[in-house]
Amino acid sequence: MNKKVGIIIAVIAVVVIVVILFSVSGRDQGPEEVRIFGAFVDVDAERFEASIAAFEEESGIDIIYEGSGDFESLITVRAEGGDPPHIAAFPQPGLMADLTRRGFIFDVRDLGLDENFLREHYSDAWINLSRVDDTIAGVWHRAALKSLVWYAKPVFEREGYQIPTTWDEMVALTQQMVDDGYVPWSIGVESSGATGWVATDWIEDIMLRTATPEQYDAWVAGDLKFNSPEVRRAIEIMSEIWFNDSYVLGGRDSILTVPFGDAATPLVTDPPRALMHRQATFISGFLPEEAQARIGEVIDVFYLPPIDAEEGRPALGAGDIFSPMQDTPATREVMKYVATGESIRKWIEAGGTIAPHKDADLDWYPDPLFRAAAEIIQQATVFRFDGSDLMPGEVGAGTFWTGMVDYVGGEDLTDVLDKIDASFPQ
């Protein structure tokens, strides 16, 4: 009898020890982590983290965001080295497509985000932008509108300048400003290793206004050559403004040396040193703080006007697509959450971004600038993503950038375009 009691006591002791070990193990593990690696840093990173804090508390998932200016190179190194993040936030879907085709990214439908769910939150345009062959390789979390011209509003009001509604009207206004003693445009493309992307944005916006969407897509895919009449025409239209020294602050020679982040500031000096600057919504974050607080008063925006009427009112945009690189239960939950408008609401309310989600309410936007930009994206007759971001990395973030630097610096256009065409992967 005593032997039986001893056995029972021993079994109970083992059970208690096992329970204690499991309990301690659970406490040591803590909440499940999801690591997100992206390119946005500083204020944008802070606003992203603030926007997901409520979800973290409710779900118990610890989302750890890491941002880097070297994201494009590091994400490939990490993928190839077997150390991918759970989710990568790509600012360039061309790179996302490369890694998808190499098998590093999961189809979101395999993680439980079916197409009916996606259509509840995105238009077909955004869903199609996430497709890589037969894979839906991510969900869009934030967007930026690039088809904007910032302008010195007090001067416009004082001089009675009307907002142009066509490209010809904008060129005529440019000349009128010169005649009135003003410098119309501030342009700067210096951006460290990415110098030249500002020029590519101008060309892409003009391409959407002078070529069909199908031609734009063919150009991005490498089927329409850079040294084609369509692309040459777009660059020549840009050059009519860029290479006229009376139109540009500092003249053509200054374009390559002015940092892109500084190029909007001349519009808000007292008095303004230039009156117009074409750039995306995000440039507001580079303005002096006092000017940021007075957007709509000292500086405002208008839609970059159409060129060929038959091409309608196109919009050029950009954004960050969140792609799953590890499949875990927590990754699935986070991916489903960032596909909703609610996931970016706090960021919208803090300012500085636009949601691509259909279920993001326009009333969330704190200022008329971003609300207007969101409406432009919703109402555009054609929306296309930044072309250089969609091209293969060696072109879109390589020869297209450097080629435009060479061209602005004086190299022959035909030679530049032939070099870019030769760089497309076969």
Side-chain angles (χ1 to χ4, degrees):
M1 186 69 177
N2 289 339
K3 186 177 180 181
K4 290 183 179 179
V5 171
I7 293 172
I8 293 171
I9 292 173
V11 171
I12 293 173
V14 170
V15 171
V16 169
I17 290 171
V18 169
V19 170
I20 292 173
L21 287 174
F22 271 104
S23 176
V24 171
S25 174
R27 287 198 300 269
D28 288 345
Q29 287 179 353
E32 191 167 0
E33 292 181 354
V34 170
R35 294 183 176 272
I36 300 177
F37 182 40
F40 50 87
V41 296
D42 301 329
V43 173
D44 282 346
E46 293 172 5
R47 290 177 176 175
F48 170 69
E49 290 168 349
S51 71
I52 59 174
F55 170 78
E56 289 182 283
E57 184 176 351
E58 180 180 343
S59 66
I61 297 171
D62 184 15
I63 300 175
I64 301 172
Y65 175 74
E66 177 189 359
S68 172
D70 295 322
F71 168 84
E72 286 82 359
S73 58
L74 292 176
I75 188 61
T76 301
V77 170
R78 290 182 61 174
E80 293 175 342
D83 182 34
H86 294 88
I87 298 169
F90 290 93
Q92 291 189 325
L95 178 57
M96 175 271 291
D98 290 343
L99 292 180
T100 300
R101 293 190 175 104
R102 295 175 61 189
F104 291 117
I105 292 173
F106 290 90
D107 191 317
V108 299
R109 292 170 295 187
D110 294 335
L111 273 66
L113 282 68
D114 63 31
E115 294 200 41
N116 288 332
F117 172 83
L118 294 175
R119 288 196 177 93
E120 290 178 13
H121 301 282
Y122 299 98
S123 68
D124 286 343
W126 286 101
I127 296 174
N128 290 336
L129 285 172
S130 65
R131 293 184 190 273
V132 179
D133 303 326
D134 296 327
T135 300
I136 298 182
V139 296
W140 295 95
H141 187 64
R142 71 166 181 165
L145 179 65
K146 295 195 170 190
S147 302
L148 294 174
V149 177
W150 296 74
Y151 68 98
K153 189 172 184 178
V155 177
F156 269 62
E157 292 178 342
R158 183 171 65 248
E159 297 290 349
Y161 295 149
Q162 299 298 306
I163 301 299
T165 58
T166 68
W167 193 272
D168 287 343
E169 289 179 2
M170 188 175 73
V171 172
L173 175 60
T174 297
Q175 184 58 51
Q176 182 63 53
M177 290 173 175
V178 173
D179 295 342
D180 292 340
Y182 296 105
V183 177
W185 292 93
S186 177
I187 303 171
V189 307
E190 196 283 322
S191 185
S192 189
T195 297
W197 66 262
V198 173
T200 69
D201 280 7
W202 271 74
I203 294 164
E204 291 151 6
D205 242 333
I206 295 171
M207 277 288 290
L208 287 175
R209 287 156 175 73
T210 58
T212 66
E214 292 76 20
Q215 288 173 320
Y216 183 90
D217 295 340
W219 173 52
V220 168
D223 297 327
L224 178 67
K225 298 297 185 182
F226 270 78
N227 199 1
S228 67
E230 293 83 2
V231 181
R232 291 184 69 98
R233 181 190 173 203
I235 296 173
E236 288 164 354
I237 288 173
M238 178 191 78
S239 303
E240 290 172 1
I241 293 176
W242 282 43
F243 294 173
N244 187 325
D245 284 345
S246 64
Y247 285 178
V248 179
L249 183 64
R252 174 179 178 175
D253 291 342
S254 73
I255 291 175
L256 295 179
T257 60
V258 174
F260 83 92
D262 296 341
T265 300
L267 277 63
V268 298
T269 56
D270 187 14
R273 297 166 53 224
L275 303 186
M276 294 186 292
H277 176 67
R278 184 226 156 270
Q279 190 51 274
T281 48
F282 62 72
I283 201 64
S284 63
F286 291 86
L287 292 170
E289 288 186 8
E290 59 271 21
Q292 292 185 41
R294 300 175 64 195
I295 290 175
E297 181 183 347
V298 298
I299 189 170
D300 211 335
V301 297
F302 62 80
Y303 166 72
L304 183 69
I307 299 177
D308 294 343
E310 61 269 25
E311 304 307 334
R313 291 174 57 86
L316 179 71
D320 295 279
I321 183 168
F322 283 37
S323 298
M325 300 189 76
Q326 294 190 45
D327 183 6
T328 70
T331 299
R332 293 183 175 217
E333 286 192 54
V334 173
M335 285 295 299
K336 189 169 185 179
Y337 180 66
V338 297
T340 67
E342 187 63 34
S343 69
I344 197 172
R345 178 173 181 171
K346 293 296 183 183
W347 197 345
I348 291 173
E349 292 174 342
T353 196
I354 299 171
H357 311 80
K358 287 198 303 187
D359 56 325
D361 197 319
L362 290 175
D363 290 338
W364 295 348
Y365 292 88
D367 62 67
L369 165 65
F370 283 92
R371 187 159 52 248
E375 287 184 295
I376 289 172
I377 287 178
Q378 290 179 1
Q379 298 172 4
T381 56
V382 173
F383 182 85
R384 283 297 185 272
F385 207 91
D386 182 297
S388 61
D389 285 351
L390 293 172
M391 293 173 183
E394 55 263 61
V395 180
T399 55
F400 194 4
W401 287 354
T402 58
M404 289 305 97
V405 170
D406 293 340
Y407 173 58
V408 175
E411 190 167 330
D412 178 73
L413 179 58
T414 298
D415 291 342
V416 167
L417 297 180
D418 285 343
K419 289 179 184 177
I420 300 174
D421 281 328
S423 72
F424 254 95
Q426 300 302 312

